[in-house]
Amino acid sequence: MIGLASIAAFEVANKRAGTTLYELDVVSEEGGMIMSSAGMQVLTKRVDEGTYDTLIVGAGLEIPTASPGLVRLLRSSAQNARRIASICLGAFILGDAGLLSGRRATTHWRYAKALQERFPSCRVDMDKIFVEDGTIWTSAGMTAGIDLVVGMIERDHGSELARTVAKGLVMYHRRSGGQSQHSALLELNAREDRVQRALNFARANLKTRLGIEELAQAASLSPRQFTRLFRAETGTTPAKAVELLRVEAAKLMLEQSRLPIEEVAREVGFENRERMRLAFTRVYGEIPRSIRNEAGPLATI
């Protein structure tokens, strides 16, 4: 059901623009009432082949298989629609229709491997909120469908309207699909309050020195106690955890700003550009310049 929430972004765009920028329909193969995965009924119109500017495919909570009729519709629409998109596991339906062949795509991180195995000619990027590859757009989880639609609005009508829509929906204005589906703090998975306190301190003070002494003080522990507890909680060392937090913050800055790479390195606490490059290679397997280039012209201050 939450997959339908992306419609709200189009609605807000219409309202803020003071005109109908987008005419919205919820459609299905047969039309009428359909049951959502949450058990709520949704009134739909019967799909009309070949008449859509933008077609967004949703799915439930399990990996779907497209019906023959839906496959025909998507293949037909691919010839004349301006763009076709999927939300979350809807990417599997696009794949069934052959629309992901030779393209980049994403889906929910939990099912990214399955998508790659099912459609080996697609390059699945499990670390993106959404991916735009030509006329095909795919989003990660269901709420990421809203980010995808805000990205479409920005592509159609500029960053000012997209920012206004995002603000109206009380969400971050994610200007590109580059944000990770994962958070470094979630990945470290610290349950102990003192370790979490140290991690929160580190993330808020990335530009400063973050040695064992500073982190231990934030956790109200001795350096020896802190190091032992930190490794037991996270499975890694404090130094590696700080590097992960710095790289995550730098990646976001590279995608959403035009600050020089040297300045990004300083802002997140790397001694220099080369130190940051080595850290990026360890964590992401990419250098900062590649990530900046992937963000494209949408990156801005």
Side-chain angles (χ1 to χ4, degrees), residues 116-135:
Q116 185 67 82
E117 290 174 348
R118 187 155 149 183
F119 308 108
S121 64
C122 171
R123 182 158 70 89
V124 178
D125 192 339
M126 68 174 289
D127 198 42
K128 293 292 188 288
I129 292 292
F130 68 87
V131 169
E132 175 192 3
D133 188 337
T135 60

Side-chain angles (χ1 to χ4, degrees), residues 99-159:
L99 302 186
L100 299 185
S101 180
R103 294 185 183 272
R104 293 172 56 245
T106 193
T107 190
H108 191 285
W109 61 267
R110 192 183 300 277
Y111 298 94
K113 183 179 179 181
L115 185 69
Q116 185 67 82
E117 290 174 348
R118 187 155 149 183
F119 308 108
S121 64
C122 171
R123 182 158 70 89
V124 178
D125 192 339
M126 68 174 289
D127 198 42
K128 293 292 188 288
I129 292 292
F130 68 87
V131 169
E132 175 192 3
D133 188 337
T135 60
I136 303 299
W137 297 55
T138 51
S139 82
M142 290 188 180
T143 57
I146 306 175
D147 295 273
L148 178 146
V149 170
V150 172
M152 288 180 172
I153 292 167
E154 179 165 36
R155 181 70 70 195
D156 296 343
H157 302 288
S159 60

Side-chain angles (χ1 to χ4, degrees), residues 4 12 25 30 36 51 65 87 106 166 173 177 185 211 237 243 254 259 262 270 279 287:
L4 294 173
V12 173
D25 286 318
E30 301 299 328
S36 73
T51 62
T65 298
I87 294 175
T106 193
H173 178 204
L185 289 182
T237 65
E243 179 181 83
L254 289 168
L259 292 175
E262 294 84 355
F270 287 109
I287 61 174

Side-chain angles (χ1 to χ4, degrees), residues 210-212 215 226-227 230-231 234 236-243:
L210 292 171
I212 293 295
L215 296 173
F226 175 73
T227 300
F230 191 94
R231 184 180 282 278
T234 67
T236 190
T237 65
K240 288 182 179 178
V242 169
E243 179 181 83

Side-chain angles (χ1 to χ4, degrees):
M1 191 67 188
I2 196 171
L4 294 173
S6 59
I7 295 173
F10 287 128
E11 287 186 291
V12 173
N14 286 343
K15 182 176 181 180
R16 297 306 176 196
T19 187
T20 303
L21 300 175
Y22 300 98
E23 295 183 3
L24 307 172
D25 286 318
V26 180
V27 300
S28 64
E29 285 186 76
E30 301 299 328
M33 301 296 292
I34 60 171
M35 187 72 70
S36 73
S37 59
M40 299 176 64
Q41 290 189 318
V42 179
L43 181 61
T44 66
K45 293 183 179 180
R46 186 182 180 114
V47 72
D48 183 7
E49 294 189 24
T51 62
Y52 299 103
D53 172 84
T54 301
L55 196 59
I56 302 178
V57 179
L61 301 179
E62 303 293 336
I63 294 177
T65 298
S67 68
L70 186 52
V71 166
R72 286 194 301 271
L73 166 69
L74 291 172
R75 289 177 177 171
S76 172
S77 296
Q79 303 303 313
N80 46 47
R82 184 158 61 100
R83 58 196 169 199
I84 297 177
S86 66
I87 294 175
C88 196
L89 300 184
F92 285 85
I93 296 176
L94 299 193
D96 285 341
L99 302 186
L100 299 185
S101 180
R103 294 185 183 272
R104 293 172 56 245
T106 193
T107 190
H108 191 285
W109 61 267
R110 192 183 300 277
Y111 298 94
K113 183 179 179 181
L115 185 69
Q116 185 67 82
E117 290 174 348
R118 187 155 149 183
F119 308 108
S121 64
C122 171
R123 182 158 70 89
V124 178
D125 192 339
M126 68 174 289
D127 198 42
K128 293 292 188 288
I129 292 292
F130 68 87
V131 169
E132 175 192 3
D133 188 337
T135 60
I136 303 299
W137 297 55
T138 51
S139 82
M142 290 188 180
T143 57
I146 306 175
D147 295 273
L148 178 146
V149 170
V150 172
M152 288 180 172
I153 292 167
E154 179 165 36
R155 181 70 70 195
D156 296 343
H157 302 288
S159 60
E160 184 175 349
L161 179 60
R163 190 176 295 109
T164 299
V165 170
K167 185 176 181 181
L169 293 170
V170 195
M171 60 180 284
Y172 290 113
H173 178 204
R174 295 189 173 98
R175 300 186 54 86
S176 74
Q179 283 71 22
S180 174
Q181 294 189 41
H182 307 282
S183 160
L185 289 182
L186 290 176
E187 190 172 321
L188 291 167
N189 194 31
R191 295 178 295 274
E192 225 287 343
D193 286 346
R194 289 170 293 184
V195 173
Q196 189 63 52
R197 200 158 62 234
L199 287 169
N200 290 338
F201 171 81
R203 189 167 68 168
N205 296 276
L206 291 176
K207 197 173 182 179
T208 66
R209 183 182 187 279
L210 292 171
I212 293 295
E213 295 78 11
E214 289 79 12
L215 296 173
Q217 184 176 2
S220 301
L221 292 168
S222 71
R224 179 175 295 180
Q225 288 175 318
F226 175 73
T227 300
R228 186 169 58 247
L229 179 61
F230 191 94
R231 184 180 282 278
E233 277 287 300
T234 67
T236 190
T237 65
K240 288 182 179 178
V242 169
E243 179 181 83
L244 183 61
L245 291 170
R246 282 179 168 145
V247 166
E248 181 181 70
K251 183 172 185 284
L252 186 60
M253 292 180 71
L254 289 168
E255 290 169 338
Q256 293 197 336
S257 82
R258 278 305 182 199
L259 292 175
I261 291 178
E262 294 84 355
E263 189 169 342
V264 171
R266 289 195 298 271
E267 285 296 315
V268 300
F270 287 109
E271 290 183 13
N272 52 53
R273 175 176 178 157
E274 178 62 16
R275 287 286 184 91
M276 186 170 78
R277 188 187 69 81
L278 293 172
F280 265 72
T281 302
R282 283 192 292 270
V283 175
Y284 292 123
E286 291 184 88
I287 61 174
R289 174 62 63 187
S290 295
I291 290 173
R292 165 60 58 78
N293 291 341
E294 283 181 11
L298 289 178
T300 185
I301 294 177

